[in-house]
Amino acid sequence: MPAALLIPLYLFLALLPLGLAWAQGLPPRHLMDELASGAGLVAMAMILAEFFLLGRFRSITRRAGSDVVMRAHQLLARAALVLVVLHPVLYVSPMVPPPVWDVTAQGALNYGWTGLWPGIAALLLLGGLVAMAIGRDICGLRYEVWRLLHGLGAVLVAGFGVLHALRAGRYSADPVLGWVWLALLTLALAALAWVYVLAPLRRWRRPWRVAAIRPAATRTWTVTLDPAFDGGLDYRAGQFAWVNIGRGVFSLDENPFSVSSAPASGQEVEFIIKELGDFTGTIGQIRPGTRAWLEAPHGHLTHSDHPDAPGIALIAGGVGIAPLIGILREMEATSDTRPCVLLYGNRTEAQIVARDELDRIGARAGTEIVHVLSEPPEDWTGATGLIDADLLRARFADPSRHDWLYVLCGPPPMMRAVEDALLALSIPSRRILSEQFVYD
Ligand SMILES: Cc1cc2nc3c(=O)[nH]c(=O)nc-3n(C[C@H](O)[C@H](O)[C@H](O)COP(=O)(O)OP(=O)(O)OC[C@H]3O[C@@H](n4cnc5c(N)ncnc54)[C@H](O)[C@@H]3O)c2cc1C
């Protein structure tokens, strides 16, 4: 399925209940009442569609990119919240005349408590979920605890919301729409069950083992995993995995890390991991032989999907080198002779990962490695400062490089600045791939 179909598919799902309601041909009510119903129907469908935007479905992330999917998840949840709030507000709007006695019950609202309370519960819970997601870093919860609460809360919102629609909804009283709600709810819960129960069960037969952990640079480690089963990981250079080291297969303690090895180099997979928090801060203490689980591959940061690009530009900031070195290694292992430039920004020299290997790769004809340091030592002869518009213009302004593939990974402010600078150089956006290491 092409990526361009994802948006029509989403719109179909989000608008299906509204379309079915419209097709019922019920007598029209006041415009505000109809808008209120419409807001409720679309919001509920959007909430159920959120379960497919968890960033765990390869058929989606492979096409759109995980960070785009997660961003869509966040923004659409906020949009759904706005519609959910509008839903009751529009019903009680002062512009709506007081309800008339209507024996058919088709023109009047059912304000019965059995129908109302699940709706109120869904609204409050959804507001709480969105607030907790926006303020995740200040609410002080461990990431894994937050994720568990987020998942449980989402199930409750979906359940209460559908119950409210079935009990109180004017249009949802129709059996066809009623069944559609139940089908969508079942699919949403099945999506969650797939991620947290069925996929881990499948992984059980594919355990991995920590083969080695080595320091790679300041507060950065290289972790190598071996398959402890017959086979390996079928991935493309630049993709990432959800990694669980030393926990049970169903554990929520897993973190996304880009694979830094090249698929063409064998079954071992390698990660470059920077110390940041709870798990990554203790990575150096993991013992070789520890059991690990991989949920992979995810992501679209791969050069191999773009065989028609005449050259490859890799632009990395800090640990963003992880997927990009995987691409460099794969290009070398597969004798990909396309010209390639790596711009690699760090603060200090000690933060440069795999320097000797990069120097060796950079010595190949057609490959250029440019280290950029913002705090260089006195004897530094390379580029200094940040990877900025001037540096990009010097390397990529030539029109022969406009159709290259540009792969970006690094801190969000750097990626925004680089993306803007590339677009200003008339690089087409379809030739720019980027992935953020944070979902905020
Ligand atoms: C697609 C992707 C690829 C990544 N690749 C790399 C890589 O190759 N090397 C590397 O060093 N880092 C990478 N990261 C970042 C890495 O996932 C986080 O630094 C790591 O999960 C932090 O875990 P922690 O338990 O040490 O930190 P915590 O103390 O738990 O959290 C610190 C912050 O890290 C983020 N974080 C924590 N857990 C997760 C999680 N399960 N999912 C998403 N974000 C989380 C949150 O923003 C959190 O606020 C990648 C992130 C993403 C999304």
Side-chain angles (χ1 to χ4, degrees):
M1 180 179 50
L5 271 187
L6 289 175
I7 294 175
L9 193 68
Y10 178 84
L11 287 176
F12 172 77
L13 210 58
L15 297 177
L16 176 68
L18 186 69
L20 289 173
W22 176 77
Q24 289 169 22
L26 293 182
R29 297 167 299 172
H30 190 278
L31 176 67
M32 288 297 162
D33 281 347
E34 296 298 347
L35 286 177
S37 288
L41 289 163
V42 175
M44 195 58 230
M46 286 172 73
I47 290 167
L48 295 173
E50 284 287 287
F51 287 76
F52 298 94
L53 301 177
L54 301 177
R56 292 302 189 100
F57 295 103
R58 278 174 225 153
S59 46
I60 300 177
T61 56
R62 181 91 180 73
R63 288 167 176 88
S66 307
D67 50 353
V68 171
V69 173
M70 292 313 289
R71 193 75 191 129
H73 178 85
Q74 294 164 344
L75 293 178
L76 291 168
R78 290 169 206 181
L81 178 61
V82 171
L83 291 176
V84 165
V85 170
L86 278 178
H87 174 63
V89 169
L90 288 172
Y91 269 132
V92 297
S93 147
M95 288 153 77
V96 180
V100 288
W101 178 246
D102 174 10
V103 283
T104 69
Q106 290 187 340
L109 255 189
N110 174 3
Y111 283 113
W113 182 241
T114 46
L116 273 192
W117 76 258
I120 295 170
L123 189 157
L124 294 177
L125 275 166
L126 181 64
L129 278 187
V130 171
M132 264 177 72
I134 293 173
R136 192 183 75 210
D137 285 336
I138 40 177
C139 70
L141 288 174
R142 276 188 66 221
Y143 187 84
E144 291 70 26
V145 175
W146 170 83
R147 219 169 109 204
L148 179 66
L149 293 178
H150 192 73
L152 290 176
V155 169
L156 291 177
V157 170
F160 285 143
V162 168
L163 189 62
H164 169 67
L166 295 178
R167 285 186 179 171
R170 177 197 194 217
Y171 294 103
S172 302
D174 175 71
V176 175
L177 187 46
W179 280 111
V180 166
W181 282 130
L182 290 176
L184 290 177
L185 178 64
T186 309
L187 281 175
L189 298 182
L192 215 54
W194 169 259
V195 172
Y196 293 108
V197 183
L198 300 174
L201 270 179
R202 269 172 34 128
R203 279 203 290 282
W204 211 348
R205 284 179 287 126
R206 301 169 66 82
W208 292 75
R209 196 182 62 88
V210 174
I213 300 209
R214 308 184 300 276
T218 309
R219 297 182 57 228
T220 307
W221 300 82
T222 299
V223 178
T224 312
L225 302 184
D226 263 343
F229 59 95
D230 258 351
L233 182 65
D234 184 11
Y235 69 104
R236 294 174 192 232
Q239 288 194 290
F240 76 91
W242 288 86
V243 181
N244 159 346
I245 300 183
R247 314 258 178 192
V249 73
F250 292 105
S251 171
L252 293 180
D253 277 354
E254 48 179 8
N255 303 68
F257 297 112
S258 301
V259 185
S260 54
S261 47
S265 302
Q267 306 287 29
E268 270 188 356
V269 293
E270 185 201 278
F271 301 92
I272 296 170
I273 299 182
K274 179 157 184 163
E275 292 178 12
L276 181 79
D278 298 349
F279 168 67
T280 50
T282 58
I283 200 111
Q285 297 162 21
I286 294 172
R287 296 275 137 254
T290 305
R291 172 79 32 119
W293 309 98
L294 293 185
E295 157 57 16
H298 287 279
H300 72 319
L301 210 68
T302 78
H303 73 301
S304 47
D305 283 345
H306 300 265
D308 58 328
I312 310 288
L314 305 170
I315 302 166
V319 75
I321 189 66
L324 306 194
I325 201 171
I327 292 177
L328 271 177
R329 287 170 172 167
E330 180 73 351
M331 288 181 75
E332 192 183 32
T334 57
S335 307
D336 187 331
T337 53
R338 284 181 282 180
C340 179
V341 175
L342 168 71
L343 301 186
Y344 180 19
N346 277 294
R347 206 159 43 77
T348 65
E349 199 173 8
Q351 290 174 331
I352 300 176
V353 170
R355 181 142 185 213
D356 293 344
E357 183 185 356
L358 289 176
D359 287 347
R360 185 182 55 71
I361 294 177
R364 283 176 50 205
T367 304
E368 187 188 7
I369 308 286
V370 183
H371 291 286
V372 187
L373 292 186
S374 58
E375 292 174 19
E378 276 179 10
D379 57 348
W380 181 252
T381 52
T384 56
L386 299 174
I387 299 182
D388 58 11
D390 289 339
L391 190 68
L392 294 165
R393 200 173 309 110
R395 288 289 179 310
F396 306 121
D398 189 318
S400 68
R401 296 192 163 185
H402 284 185
D403 216 25
W404 279 26
L405 181 70
Y406 292 80
V407 192
L408 283 45
C409 194
M414 179 205 109
M415 299 227 294
R416 279 193 292 274
V418 169
E419 209 159 335
D420 289 348
L422 292 177
L423 292 172
L425 288 176
S426 308
I427 312 292
S429 56
R430 67 185 162 82
R431 285 298 198 198
I432 304 176
L433 300 181
S434 65
E435 190 156 78
Q436 294 198 30
F437 279 1
V438 285
Y439 289 147
D440 302 328

